[in-house]
PDB file of all heavy atoms in Angstrom:
ATOM      1  N   GLU A 282      75.469  99.138  76.204  1.00 97.00           N
ATOM      2  CA  GLU A 282      75.402  99.600  74.807  1.00 97.00           C
ATOM      3  C   GLU A 282      74.141  99.098  74.108  1.00 97.00           C
ATOM      4  O   GLU A 282      73.695  99.704  73.125  1.00 97.00           O
ATOM      5  CB  GLU A 282      76.642  99.140  74.048  1.00 97.00           C
ATOM      6  CG  GLU A 282      77.888  99.931  74.398  1.00 97.00           C
ATOM      7  CD  GLU A 282      79.132  99.413  73.714  1.00 97.00           C
ATOM      8  OE1 GLU A 282      79.145  98.231  73.287  1.00 97.00           O
ATOM      9  OE2 GLU A 282      80.105 100.188  73.604  1.00 97.00           O
ATOM     10  N   GLN A 283      73.562  98.018  74.606  1.00 97.00           N
ATOM     11  CA  GLN A 283      72.338  97.472  74.016  1.00 97.00           C
ATOM     12  C   GLN A 283      71.081  97.995  74.716  1.00 97.00           C
ATOM     13  O   GLN A 283      69.971  97.566  74.394  1.00 97.00           O
ATOM     14  CB  GLN A 283      72.360  95.939  74.107  1.00 97.00           C
ATOM     15  CG  GLN A 283      73.562  95.275  73.468  1.00 97.00           C
ATOM     16  CD  GLN A 283      73.745  95.670  72.026  1.00 97.00           C
ATOM     17  OE1 GLN A 283      72.774  95.626  71.243  1.00 97.00           O
ATOM     18  NE2 GLN A 283      74.958  96.048  71.648  1.00 97.00           N
ATOM     19  N   SER A 284      71.274  98.921  75.652  1.00 97.00           N
ATOM     20  CA  SER A 284      70.134  99.440  76.410  1.00 97.00           C
ATOM     21  C   SER A 284      69.829 100.885  76.034  1.00 97.00           C
ATOM     22  O   SER A 284      70.544 101.507  75.235  1.00 97.00           O
ATOM     23  CB  SER A 284      70.439  99.364  77.911  1.00 97.00           C
ATOM     24  OG  SER A 284      71.315 100.418  78.293  1.00 97.00           O
ATOM     25  N   GLU A 285      68.784 101.422  76.661  1.00 97.00           N
ATOM     26  CA  GLU A 285      68.400 102.818  76.406  1.00 97.00           C
ATOM     27  C   GLU A 285      69.371 103.808  77.039  1.00 97.00           C
ATOM     28  O   GLU A 285      69.292 105.008  76.762  1.00 97.00           O
ATOM     29  CB  GLU A 285      66.981 103.075  76.937  1.00 97.00           C
ATOM     30  CG  GLU A 285      66.847 103.093  78.450  1.00 97.00           C
ATOM     31  CD  GLU A 285      66.805 101.693  79.080  1.00 97.00           C
ATOM     32  OE1 GLU A 285      66.905 100.701  78.325  1.00 97.00           O
ATOM     33  OE2 GLU A 285      66.665 101.616  80.320  1.00 97.00           O
ATOM     34  N   LEU A 286      70.317 103.317  77.846  1.00 98.00           N
ATOM     35  CA  LEU A 286      71.282 104.202  78.500  1.00 98.00           C
ATOM     36  C   LEU A 286      72.626 104.254  77.775  1.00 98.00           C
ATOM     37  O   LEU A 286      73.611 104.745  78.329  1.00 98.00           O
ATOM     38  CB  LEU A 286      71.505 103.753  79.952  1.00 98.00           C
ATOM     39  CG  LEU A 286      70.298 103.914  80.893  1.00 98.00           C
ATOM     40  CD1 LEU A 286      70.672 103.467  82.298  1.00 98.00           C
ATOM     41  CD2 LEU A 286      69.796 105.345  80.906  1.00 98.00           C
ATOM     42  N   LYS A 287      72.643 103.794  76.569  1.00 97.00           N
ATOM     43  CA  LYS A 287      73.886 103.805  75.801  1.00 97.00           C
ATOM     44  C   LYS A 287      74.532 105.187  75.777  1.00 97.00           C
ATOM     45  O   LYS A 287      75.759 105.321  75.873  1.00 97.00           O
ATOM     46  CB  LYS A 287      73.621 103.329  74.372  1.00 97.00           C
ATOM     47  CG  LYS A 287      74.840 103.358  73.475  1.00 97.00           C
ATOM     48  CD  LYS A 287      74.502 102.869  72.067  1.00 97.00           C
ATOM     49  CE  LYS A 287      75.736 102.920  71.168  1.00 97.00           C
ATOM     50  NZ  LYS A 287      75.426 102.434  69.795  1.00 97.00           N
ATOM     51  N   CYS A 288      73.730 106.221  75.683  1.00 97.00           N
ATOM     52  CA  CYS A 288      74.249 107.590  75.591  1.00 97.00           C
ATOM     53  C   CYS A 288      74.941 108.043  76.870  1.00 97.00           C
ATOM     54  O   CYS A 288      75.663 109.041  76.871  1.00 97.00           O
ATOM     55  CB  CYS A 288      73.133 108.566  75.231  1.00 97.00           C
ATOM     56  SG  CYS A 288      71.802 108.603  76.444  1.00 97.00           S
ATOM     57  N   GLU A 289      74.733 107.322  77.969  1.00 98.00           N
ATOM     58  CA  GLU A 289      75.370 107.680  79.239  1.00 98.00           C
ATOM     59  C   GLU A 289      76.817 107.177  79.338  1.00 98.00           C
ATOM     60  O   GLU A 289      77.566 107.612  80.206  1.00 98.00           O
ATOM     61  CB  GLU A 289      74.558 107.106  80.408  1.00 98.00           C
ATOM     62  CG  GLU A 289      73.166 107.667  80.553  1.00 98.00           C
ATOM     63  CD  GLU A 289      73.156 109.059  81.165  1.00 98.00           C
ATOM     64  OE1 GLU A 289      74.146 109.413  81.849  1.00 98.00           O
ATOM     65  OE2 GLU A 289      72.167 109.790  80.965  1.00 98.00           O
ATOM     66  N   LEU A 290      77.189 106.274  78.465  1.00 97.00           N
ATOM     67  CA  LEU A 290      78.541 105.714  78.516  1.00 97.00           C
ATOM     68  C   LEU A 290      79.568 106.749  78.067  1.00 97.00           C
ATOM     69  O   LEU A 290      79.285 107.588  77.208  1.00 97.00           O
ATOM     70  CB  LEU A 290      78.645 104.476  77.618  1.00 97.00           C
ATOM     71  CG  LEU A 290      77.946 103.219  78.121  1.00 97.00           C
ATOM     72  CD1 LEU A 290      77.902 102.169  77.018  1.00 97.00           C
ATOM     73  CD2 LEU A 290      78.642 102.661  79.360  1.00 97.00           C
ATOM     74  N   PRO A 291      80.775 106.696  78.622  1.00 96.00           N
ATOM     75  CA  PRO A 291      81.831 107.615  78.171  1.00 96.00           C
ATOM     76  C   PRO A 291      82.303 107.257  76.768  1.00 96.00           C
ATOM     77  O   PRO A 291      82.129 106.123  76.311  1.00 96.00           O
ATOM     78  CB  PRO A 291      82.943 107.395  79.206  1.00 96.00           C
ATOM     79  CG  PRO A 291      82.726 105.999  79.686  1.00 96.00           C
ATOM     80  CD  PRO A 291      81.246 105.794  79.695  1.00 96.00           C
ATOM     81  N   SER A 292      82.889 108.203  76.107  1.00 96.00           N
ATOM     82  CA  SER A 292      83.413 107.944  74.759  1.00 96.00           C
ATOM     83  C   SER A 292      84.847 107.431  74.801  1.00 96.00           C
ATOM     84  O   SER A 292      85.318 106.821  73.832  1.00 96.00           O
ATOM     85  CB  SER A 292      83.349 109.217  73.911  1.00 96.00           C
ATOM     86  OG  SER A 292      84.121 110.252  74.516  1.00 96.00           O
ATOM     87  N   ARG A 293      85.554 107.667  75.908  1.00 96.00           N
ATOM     88  CA  ARG A 293      86.949 107.255  76.020  1.00 96.00           C
ATOM     89  C   ARG A 293      87.185 106.561  77.366  1.00 96.00           C
ATOM     90  O   ARG A 293      86.533 106.861  78.361  1.00 96.00           O
ATOM     91  CB  ARG A 293      87.904 108.457  75.921  1.00 96.00           C
ATOM     92  CG  ARG A 293      87.731 109.333  74.708  1.00 96.00           C
ATOM     93  CD  ARG A 293      88.142 108.642  73.425  1.00 96.00           C
ATOM     94  NE  ARG A 293      89.570 108.313  73.394  1.00 96.00           N
ATOM     95  CZ  ARG A 293      90.152 107.689  72.363  1.00 96.00           C
ATOM     96  NH1 ARG A 293      89.435 107.309  71.320  1.00 96.00           N
ATOM     97  NH2 ARG A 293      91.445 107.429  72.390  1.00 96.00           N
ATOM     98  N   TYR A 294      88.124 105.634  77.353  1.00 96.00           N
ATOM     99  CA  TYR A 294      88.517 104.904  78.547  1.00 96.00           C
ATOM    100  C   TYR A 294      90.037 104.924  78.662  1.00 96.00           C
ATOM    101  O   TYR A 294      90.746 104.960  77.647  1.00 96.00           O
ATOM    102  CB  TYR A 294      88.047 103.445  78.483  1.00 96.00           C
ATOM    103  CG  TYR A 294      86.558 103.281  78.333  1.00 96.00           C
ATOM    104  CD1 TYR A 294      85.963 103.217  77.067  1.00 96.00           C
ATOM    105  CD2 TYR A 294      85.741 103.198  79.451  1.00 96.00           C
ATOM    106  CE1 TYR A 294      84.596 103.065  76.919  1.00 96.00           C
ATOM    107  CE2 TYR A 294      84.356 103.050  79.316  1.00 96.00           C
ATOM    108  CZ  TYR A 294      83.799 102.984  78.052  1.00 96.00           C
ATOM    109  OH  TYR A 294      82.440 102.844  77.912  1.00 96.00           O
ATOM    110  N   ILE A 295      90.530 104.894  79.896  1.00 94.00           N
ATOM    111  CA  ILE A 295      91.976 104.826  80.081  1.00 94.00           C
ATOM    112  C   ILE A 295      92.461 103.485  79.548  1.00 94.00           C
ATOM    113  O   ILE A 295      91.929 102.436  79.879  1.00 94.00           O
ATOM    114  CB  ILE A 295      92.359 105.000  81.557  1.00 94.00           C
ATOM    115  CG1 ILE A 295      91.921 106.389  82.050  1.00 94.00           C
ATOM    116  CG2 ILE A 295      93.857 104.824  81.752  1.00 94.00           C
ATOM    117  CD1 ILE A 295      92.136 106.612  83.531  1.00 94.00           C
ATOM    118  N   GLU A 296      93.475 103.548  78.733  1.00 92.00           N
ATOM    119  CA  GLU A 296      93.948 102.368  78.004  1.00 92.00           C
ATOM    120  C   GLU A 296      94.475 101.294  78.956  1.00 92.00           C
ATOM    121  O   GLU A 296      95.243 101.573  79.879  1.00 92.00           O
ATOM    122  CB  GLU A 296      95.058 102.803  77.038  1.00 92.00           C
ATOM    123  CG  GLU A 296      95.406 101.802  75.976  1.00 92.00           C
ATOM    124  CD  GLU A 296      96.370 102.407  74.971  1.00 92.00           C
ATOM    125  OE1 GLU A 296      97.586 102.405  75.235  1.00 92.00           O
ATOM    126  OE2 GLU A 296      95.900 102.901  73.925  1.00 92.00           O
ATOM    127  N   ASN A 297      94.012 100.066  78.731  1.00 88.00           N
ATOM    128  CA  ASN A 297      94.506  98.895  79.472  1.00 88.00           C
ATOM    129  C   ASN A 297      94.382  99.033  80.986  1.00 88.00           C
ATOM    130  O   ASN A 297      95.211  98.506  81.733  1.00 88.00           O
ATOM    131  CB  ASN A 297      95.973  98.615  79.103  1.00 88.00           C
ATOM    132  CG  ASN A 297      96.148  98.274  77.640  1.00 88.00           C
ATOM    133  OD1 ASN A 297      95.301  97.596  77.054  1.00 88.00           O
ATOM    134  ND2 ASN A 297      97.223  98.751  77.047  1.00 88.00           N
ATOM    135  N   THR A 298      93.344  99.728  81.439  1.00 91.00           N
ATOM    136  CA  THR A 298      93.149  99.936  82.871  1.00 91.00           C
ATOM    137  C   THR A 298      91.802  99.351  83.279  1.00 91.00           C
ATOM    138  O   THR A 298      90.748  99.909  82.970  1.00 91.00           O
ATOM    139  CB  THR A 298      93.217 101.433  83.216  1.00 91.00           C
ATOM    140  OG1 THR A 298      94.478 101.948  82.777  1.00 91.00           O
ATOM    141  CG2 THR A 298      93.076 101.668  84.707  1.00 91.00           C
ATOM    142  N   ILE A 299      91.854  98.234  83.981  1.00 91.00           N
ATOM    143  CA  ILE A 299      90.647  97.471  84.282  1.00 91.00           C
ATOM    144  C   ILE A 299      89.662  98.235  85.153  1.00 91.00           C
ATOM    145  O   ILE A 299      88.446  98.087  85.027  1.00 91.00           O
ATOM    146  CB  ILE A 299      91.043  96.121  84.940  1.00 91.00           C
ATOM    147  CG1 ILE A 299      89.838  95.184  85.057  1.00 91.00           C
ATOM    148  CG2 ILE A 299      91.694  96.343  86.290  1.00 91.00           C
ATOM    149  CD1 ILE A 299      89.391  94.601  83.769  1.00 91.00           C
ATOM    150  N   CYS A 300      90.161  99.085  86.065  1.00 91.00           N
ATOM    151  CA  CYS A 300      89.274  99.798  86.990  1.00 91.00           C
ATOM    152  C   CYS A 300      88.496 100.926  86.321  1.00 91.00           C
ATOM    153  O   CYS A 300      87.429 101.315  86.812  1.00 91.00           O
ATOM    154  CB  CYS A 300      90.083 100.379  88.145  1.00 91.00           C
ATOM    155  SG  CYS A 300      90.606  99.171  89.365  1.00 91.00           S
ATOM    156  N   ASP A 301      89.020 101.479  85.245  1.00 94.00           N
ATOM    157  CA  ASP A 301      88.446 102.706  84.691  1.00 94.00           C
ATOM    158  C   ASP A 301      87.008 102.538  84.206  1.00 94.00           C
ATOM    159  O   ASP A 301      86.141 103.331  84.602  1.00 94.00           O
ATOM    160  CB  ASP A 301      89.338 103.239  83.567  1.00 94.00           C
ATOM    161  CG  ASP A 301      88.874 104.601  83.069  1.00 94.00           C
ATOM    162  OD1 ASP A 301      88.789 105.528  83.895  1.00 94.00           O
ATOM    163  OD2 ASP A 301      88.585 104.723  81.864  1.00 94.00           O
ATOM    164  N   PRO A 302      86.687 101.538  83.372  1.00 95.00           N
ATOM    165  CA  PRO A 302      85.287 101.428  82.943  1.00 95.00           C
ATOM    166  C   PRO A 302      84.347 101.112  84.096  1.00 95.00           C
ATOM    167  O   PRO A 302      83.213 101.599  84.133  1.00 95.00           O
ATOM    168  CB  PRO A 302      85.315 100.283  81.914  1.00 95.00           C
ATOM    169  CG  PRO A 302      86.589  99.553  82.158  1.00 95.00           C
ATOM    170  CD  PRO A 302      87.545 100.557  82.684  1.00 95.00           C
ATOM    171  N   CYS A 303      84.807 100.327  85.056  1.00 93.00           N
ATOM    172  CA  CYS A 303      83.982  99.998  86.215  1.00 93.00           C
ATOM    173  C   CYS A 303      83.657 101.272  87.007  1.00 93.00           C
ATOM    174  O   CYS A 303      82.507 101.519  87.378  1.00 93.00           O
ATOM    175  CB  CYS A 303      84.720  98.989  87.087  1.00 93.00           C
ATOM    176  SG  CYS A 303      83.672  98.108  88.252  1.00 93.00           S
TER     177      CYS A 303
END
Side-chain angles (χ1 to χ4, degrees):
E282 285 176 339
Q283 304 305 311
S284 77
E285 70 281 1
L286 293 181
K287 178 180 179 179
C288 60
E289 296 283 338
L290 287 169
S292 60
R293 306 291 296 179
Y294 301 90
I295 298 175
E296 195 172 84
N297 298 323
T298 303
I299 190 73
C300 285
D301 187 57
C303 198

